[in-house]
Amino acid sequence: MYNVLIVDDEPVARQSLRYLIDWEELGFTVKGEAQDGQQALEMLRSQRYALVLTDIRMPVLNGLEMAAAMQEFTDTPVVILSGYDDFAYAREGLRLGVKEYLLKPVDEEDLIALLQKLAAELREQQLLEKRQRLGLSAGRDQLLRRLAHGQVAARELEEQLLLMELPSHHERYACLLLELDFLADGEMPDRDTELMRFAIRNIAEELADGRGYIFEESEERIGVLLGGNAKEMDLEECRLWAESLRSSTMKYAKASVTIGIGRSVGSIMEIKRSWSEAEEALDRKFLSGAGTVLLPHGKAESDGEPDMLRTLESEVLEMVRSSRRADTLRALARLWECFKTEQISEGRAKLSVLELFIQLFRLVKEQGASHDRLFDPALGDYERIMRIKTMDELLRFMENKCGDVLDALQRTKEIRPNKIVLEVKQIVQEQYAGNVSLRSVAAMIYMNPNYLGKLFKANTEQSFNDYVLQVRMEKAKELLLHTDKKVYEIALEVGFSELDWFYKRFKTYTGVSTSDYRNAR
């Protein structure tokens, strides 16, 4: 509703305007009344109004003087109400920027026509402003994502930063990466998911105000780029900021987030390095559990540590990546032999296993395989590694984990994209009435949800959520046309627990209301 302020020194005139028409039907509500221009100015400074209807002749401050004073602090449109004798004043008002004028006594049809015209203009202005805001926000998000992934060339960077009103003068920069834990839990309705993501982003933007920028990395992850001097970008300062963000989201949004932090870098062109560290830190969530702040893991290498040890760790990963099972086992055997001959401590050997775990986890995600059944805090792998007493037992554990990863990667390779998409569509068509989500479907077919979402969109040119909505809306249309079920019954049957949300989504999807659609049959 658009708020209206009526300004007239005659109470009867104000009341007659209030009750002359059905304001709300036209999208307006009479929010305030003032008896002179001075009182109206005070009200306009304390509250936002979409329209002012004012008489000209009033004590203290007349309508024209009020309209002139308004130009200093608001662009709220003014409509003058004038008698025949005041027509010269009305023309002066138009020169001052007054929107329109109406002759007294005000005719109902004239007022309705004017309000309809103003409502259309206000909607158009709001739409334009929204497009501008969204355009700038979307452009910033895209640029920051490309920057984080090292996809912006130096020659275009300065121009893009200037265009998007982003700073490039900070002494140091650091990246943080938030994962929305409630999405990992999986079963939140789409509407609640969007509201929660919006709330968490707003909290992050408030905390980063003047210090950094927030951008969407994916449905489950939000990126943060912080800038400042060397002291502000110290790892401990970044950790404190992340802890503040984590606690704020829990306090105000009642939602858990896990945050990975990358070390600061000295140039905006080096941001990719900080981003990669933040990603790797966040990937250790499967060891730490949700709702934590994870620091970048430095290479725990002493000066005397042999190069052979690091080479063998990389070799194990390469054999797994290449799906060479026998070579993987041989590489692990060589690594363990190195542990023994170089007299590597128990703690360093376990650290090596944990580092391999993190890299295997990243590999599984990268290849699109499901990691929930391989790397889950509930499995207790971290505690198990820490409790292992012998090197041989540690080797057997690592051999089994590498074997499980190889099996998961092999299953993923054997599934063709078209077959996956058909299977996903079949599941949605069978389960659309329930709380179907990308994560729940991904778990059913043993795939990583982020990878599955990208695969689905690449092969169908629509997102998974859009497809679920399409299935639900088409079923709702069918039920409206061919049954006499109540609308609330149909809403529940196609997976909507909130009737008002169903009404809005249906009208957005079809362009008409449920009643109009049913009556057209």
Side-chain angles (χ1 to χ4, degrees), residues 470-506:
Q470 175 187 317
V471 171
R472 286 171 167 168
M473 291 295 102
E474 291 301 322
K475 184 62 178 177
K477 287 164 62 177
E478 180 184 330
L479 293 171
L480 284 167
L481 289 178
H482 303 297
T483 75
D484 292 324
K485 291 182 178 181
K486 304 293 186 184
V487 174
Y488 72 85
E489 294 175 317
I490 293 174
L492 288 173
E493 193 168 326
V494 299
F496 287 84
S497 58
E498 297 179 48
L499 185 58
D500 64 331
W501 187 235
F502 171 72
Y503 278 133
K504 290 176 183 176
R505 297 312 295 265
F506 187 89

Side-chain angles (χ1 to χ4, degrees), residues 212-493:
Y213 291 91
I214 313 301
F215 60 97
E216 301 262 343
E217 164 65 7
S218 66
E219 184 175 298
E220 296 181 354
R221 292 183 165 190
I222 295 173
V224 180
L225 173 63
L226 295 180
N229 59 41
K231 185 176 185 302
E232 292 170 328
M233 291 294 99
D234 177 78
L235 189 57
E236 176 61 14
E237 289 297 315
C238 290
R239 186 192 68 79
L240 291 173
W241 188 89
E243 286 288 359
S244 175
L245 175 56
R246 185 192 63 78
S247 60
S248 294
T249 58
M250 182 59 72
K251 179 178 180 181
Y252 299 112
K254 303 296 184 291
S256 169
V257 297
T258 303
I259 306 173
I261 303 176
R263 291 181 183 83
S264 68
V265 293
S267 162
I268 201 164
M269 288 303 296
E270 298 179 87
I271 283 172
K272 182 183 178 182
R273 178 152 53 88
S274 181
W275 179 258
S276 296
E277 286 188 345
E279 283 186 309
E280 190 166 343
L282 186 56
D283 282 341
R284 290 202 301 280
K285 174 183 172 181
F286 77 91
L287 290 174
S288 67
T292 51
V293 171
L294 301 165
L295 297 175
H297 192 70
K299 299 294 182 184
E301 303 165 357
S302 65
D303 293 337
E305 188 171 278
D307 291 339
M308 179 60 70
L309 182 60
R310 298 189 294 277
T311 301
L312 289 172
E313 290 171 350
S314 299
E315 186 180 339
V316 171
L317 290 170
E318 185 55 36
M319 294 305 103
V320 176
R321 182 184 294 276
S322 303
S323 298
R324 294 155 63 179
R325 191 177 299 268
D327 287 338
T328 298
L329 295 177
R330 282 191 283 270
L332 281 170
R334 287 193 291 273
L335 177 59
W336 255 251
E337 185 62 30
C338 182
F339 286 163
K340 294 175 183 178
T341 57
E342 298 294 335
Q343 297 184 343
I344 299 299
S345 69
E346 175 187 335
R348 177 62 184 91
K350 288 181 177 179
L351 179 60
S352 180
V353 169
L354 290 173
E355 282 293 303
L356 284 170
F357 250 51
I358 292 165
Q359 297 304 324
L360 288 172
F361 175 74
R362 290 169 67 87
L363 176 61
V364 167
K365 286 179 62 180
E366 172 192 309
Q367 298 295 324
S370 173
H371 55 75
D372 293 343
R373 298 169 188 269
L374 292 171
F375 304 102
D376 187 331
L379 298 175
D381 284 338
Y382 179 80
E383 290 78 8
R384 185 178 172 186
I385 291 170
M386 292 298 104
R387 288 198 303 267
I388 287 176
K389 299 298 183 184
T390 69
M391 293 292 280
D392 286 344
E393 186 183 353
L394 190 62
L395 175 59
R396 299 287 86 77
F397 175 82
M398 199 61 203
E399 286 177 338
N400 291 335
K401 186 62 68 173
C402 285
D404 291 341
V405 169
L406 286 163
D407 290 341
L409 295 178
Q410 185 60 35
R411 284 196 301 270
T412 302
K413 288 178 181 178
E414 291 171 352
I415 303 175
R416 293 173 304 183
N418 289 342
K419 184 179 178 182
I420 294 172
V421 170
L422 288 174
E423 191 172 356
V424 170
K425 287 185 173 182
Q426 182 65 34
I427 292 171
V428 171
Q429 288 163 7
E430 291 172 356
Q431 301 187 13
Y432 66 86
N435 198 5
V436 63
S437 68
L438 181 60
R439 183 167 290 276
S440 66
V441 173
M444 292 179 199
I445 60 176
Y446 305 103
M447 289 194 70
N448 176 281
N450 284 336
Y451 181 86
L452 179 59
K454 292 175 183 176
L455 183 72
F456 187 88
K457 188 166 187 177
N459 284 268
T460 64
E461 296 186 350
Q462 66 178 149
S463 70
F464 173 84
N465 287 338
D466 286 344
Y467 179 71
V468 173
L469 179 65
Q470 175 187 317
V471 171
R472 286 171 167 168
M473 291 295 102
E474 291 301 322
K475 184 62 178 177
K477 287 164 62 177
E478 180 184 330
L479 293 171
L480 284 167
L481 289 178
H482 303 297
T483 75
D484 292 324
K485 291 182 178 181
K486 304 293 186 184
V487 174
Y488 72 85
E489 294 175 317
I490 293 174
L492 288 173
E493 193 168 326

Side-chain angles (χ1 to χ4, degrees), residues 98-117:
V98 169
K99 189 73 177 177
E100 294 281 355
Y101 72 90
L102 291 175
L103 291 174
K104 282 187 172 184
V106 176
D107 180 76
E108 178 181 349
E109 292 184 1
D110 289 344
L111 181 57
I112 289 174
L114 175 60
L115 292 176
Q116 287 174 334
K117 176 185 174 184

Side-chain angles (χ1 to χ4, degrees), residues 169-215:
H169 58 274
H170 290 301
E171 186 178 339
R172 299 194 69 80
Y173 300 88
C175 290
L176 289 78
L177 185 57
L178 284 70
E179 184 157 272
L180 312 182
D181 297 329
F182 65 88
L183 280 175
D185 296 337
E187 300 305 326
M188 183 176 284
D190 288 346
R191 183 185 188 184
D192 294 340
T193 294
E194 288 305 310
L195 289 173
M196 192 72 79
R197 289 172 73 247
F198 180 75
I200 291 172
R201 175 161 182 162
N202 275 352
I203 291 168
E205 285 177 339
E206 286 184 14
L207 284 176
D209 186 32
R211 188 177 175 186
Y213 291 91
I214 313 301
F215 60 97

